Amino acid sequence: MAFFRHCIKKISSKISPTLSFSNAARSKLRMQFYTSGNAGSQPPVPSHRALKLIFAAAGIGLGLAASSSIALANTKDEEKKKALHDSKPATDQNLPVSAIAGGPVVTKSGKTLNKLKIFVGYDPREDLAYEVCRYSILKHATIPVEIIPIKQSDLRKAGLYWRSRGQTESTEFSFSRFLTPFLAGYEGWAVFVDCDFLYTTDVRELAELIDDRYAVMCVKHDYTPKSATKMDGAVQTVYPRKNWSSMVLYNCSHPKNRDLTPSVVNSQSGAFLHRFMWLDDDEIGSVPYVWNFLVGHNEIDEENGFPKAIHYTSGGPWFEAWKDCEFADLWVKERDEYVSTQRIQRVIQNELVSLLEERSKAIEDRIVDLEGRVKETDDLKKLLAFYLKDKVLADGGAEGIKVEEPPVEA
């Protein structure tokens, strides 16, 4: 039975959802299933009974959610990349997730972007925040996206991150975030974002802002924290260009970003990295602040409209001390939706497991029946041969014929 549970887990992990709102009717939730995998290795088509359950789930506006893990693009350091791959737990929680609906994007530079890689900073203390951030991206996305958590534990196992944690580092990804161009293979564009974000808008709009003239693009905040601590009591630090690095569009193929090697990220100071000191000022492009709306700092205005990405930079509702912060209700609502999708996923997975178990029992019974018929056929052959021997002997001929005696049943 364990074998069939393993099979269904593999099958269900191949199904990754997209929840998106149409431009014409934002309130109408539609679900799309995107089946990944290479040709010739597609999962089997679900049965009629399983499909009925899937469409029932879609009918009430709920979808599945799969999870992903760190994925390395092609780099020269193949041994380290393989080590990182081998360090991943073998569960469906580490599969990259893709969402598709509206096709590729034409950027501000006039180039076509077929998929947007989004690296999300991950901290075990904020696992739920990461899941909700990821869910909110997929919920609205109409461009293929690949969401990849930057997990310090995986990077350390792969030998890509070794620096000691300093007292001013409030999260595990305070410095590992700058490995984004390296992890993307120094190719194309990729986004880094903290896990304490909530997206309210399609990231297609963000991708449309991409301008190849720049090495990075970000919201250029002029931000001074109002509190000495944040989140669950972490020390709040103040420095120039604070929060610029919390949401960055990286032009990974830009020559200057090739300076962000694991060696540099593990050795350079926080000032060098968070202030983008490997770049000239004119190589840093600007993004509207609604894409990194700092809760407690930024204010909604008519010109820019409602925040497209809410950043709970001081702490979000997943921390007791910040459960009543501004926009807490939006995050709680998104969290509840995410939890509901997990319940539906478990129901469908259990249903598919049950179906496979039923099929396996029917197949086993059929095999037993066929084995019985084969034995009956063999016994009949032996009886026929014995009859023919008797017949020949009775007729007084065929000397030397040897026929095996049929087995005597006990």
Side-chain angles (χ1 to χ4, degrees), residues 108-129:
K108 188 174 182 179
S109 299
K111 294 183 179 179
T112 299
L113 183 69
N114 293 313
K115 181 175 70 173
L116 183 63
K117 287 187 177 182
I118 302 178
F119 292 83
V120 182
Y122 181 87
D123 192 303
R125 296 174 306 151
E126 300 182 274
D127 176 75
L128 184 57

Side-chain angles (χ1 to χ4, degrees), residues 123-327:
D123 192 303
R125 296 174 306 151
E126 300 182 274
D127 176 75
L128 184 57
Y130 162 78
E131 294 293 352
V132 173
C133 173
R134 175 190 160 281
Y135 175 83
S136 68
I137 294 171
L138 291 175
K139 174 178 175 178
H140 299 287
T142 61
I143 175 180
V145 297
E146 184 180 0
I147 299 178
I148 308 161
I150 294 184
K151 293 187 176 182
Q152 188 182 121
S153 58
D154 287 347
L155 294 171
R156 287 188 181 277
K157 289 177 184 176
L160 297 174
Y161 192 78
W162 55 86
R163 71 185 297 161
S164 300
R165 184 165 180 172
Q167 294 182 346
T168 59
E169 294 178 48
S170 58
T171 66
E172 286 195 358
F173 52 87
S174 291
F175 291 113
S176 59
R177 70 183 68 209
F178 297 104
L179 287 171
T180 293
F182 171 82
L183 295 175
Y186 299 117
E187 294 181 352
W189 282 81
V191 176
F192 171 82
V193 62
D194 287 2
C195 65
D196 54 357
F197 271 64
L198 178 70
Y199 282 80
T200 65
T201 306
D202 189 353
V203 289
R204 169 183 290 274
E205 296 181 23
L206 178 63
E208 289 172 347
L209 300 176
I210 287 175
D211 191 331
D212 289 343
R213 293 178 298 169
Y214 302 110
V216 301
M217 299 179 70
C218 66
V219 177
K220 297 180 177 180
H221 289 293
D222 181 11
Y223 173 62
T224 301
K226 299 176 182 179
S227 174
T229 61
K230 63 178 182 177
M231 296 188 294
D232 54 352
V235 176
Q236 179 72 274
T237 55
V238 180
Y239 53 87
R241 297 184 173 180
K242 185 174 178 64
N243 260 312
W244 284 29
S245 63
S246 58
M247 194 290 294
V248 184
L249 281 160
Y250 281 97
N251 184 353
C252 300
S253 54
H254 192 282
K256 290 283 190 75
N257 285 333
R258 289 184 173 271
D259 293 342
L260 291 177
T261 63
S263 178
V264 168
V265 172
N266 280 280
S267 61
Q268 280 291 352
S269 67
F272 177 87
L273 294 169
H274 285 281
R275 299 180 197 176
F276 302 151
M277 292 178 67
W278 71 94
L279 300 173
D280 296 327
D281 287 352
D282 61 2
E283 293 170 322
I284 305 172
S286 183
V287 173
Y289 79 93
V290 288
W291 285 106
N292 189 350
F293 187 97
L294 303 180
V295 173
H297 173 71
N298 291 126
E299 296 181 356
I300 299 174
D301 60 41
E302 292 184 3
E303 180 182 354
N304 292 282
F306 195 78
K308 299 178 185 295
I310 300 170
H311 185 187
Y312 300 89
T313 181
S314 296
W318 53 95
F319 291 121
E320 180 64 25
W322 298 92
K323 65 180 182 179
D324 296 321
C325 67
E326 188 180 8
F327 301 111

Side-chain angles (χ1 to χ4, degrees), residues 368-402:
V368 170
D369 178 60
L370 290 174
E371 287 176 343
R373 295 192 180 192
V374 169
K375 185 178 182 304
E376 289 177 3
T377 302
D378 289 342
D379 290 345
L380 285 172
K381 286 180 179 178
K382 291 176 181 178
L383 286 172
L384 178 60
F386 187 70
Y387 168 77
L388 290 174
K389 176 185 176 183
D390 264 3
K391 178 75 171 168
V392 170
L393 291 175
D395 292 342
E399 289 187 6
I401 294 178
K402 294 181 179 180

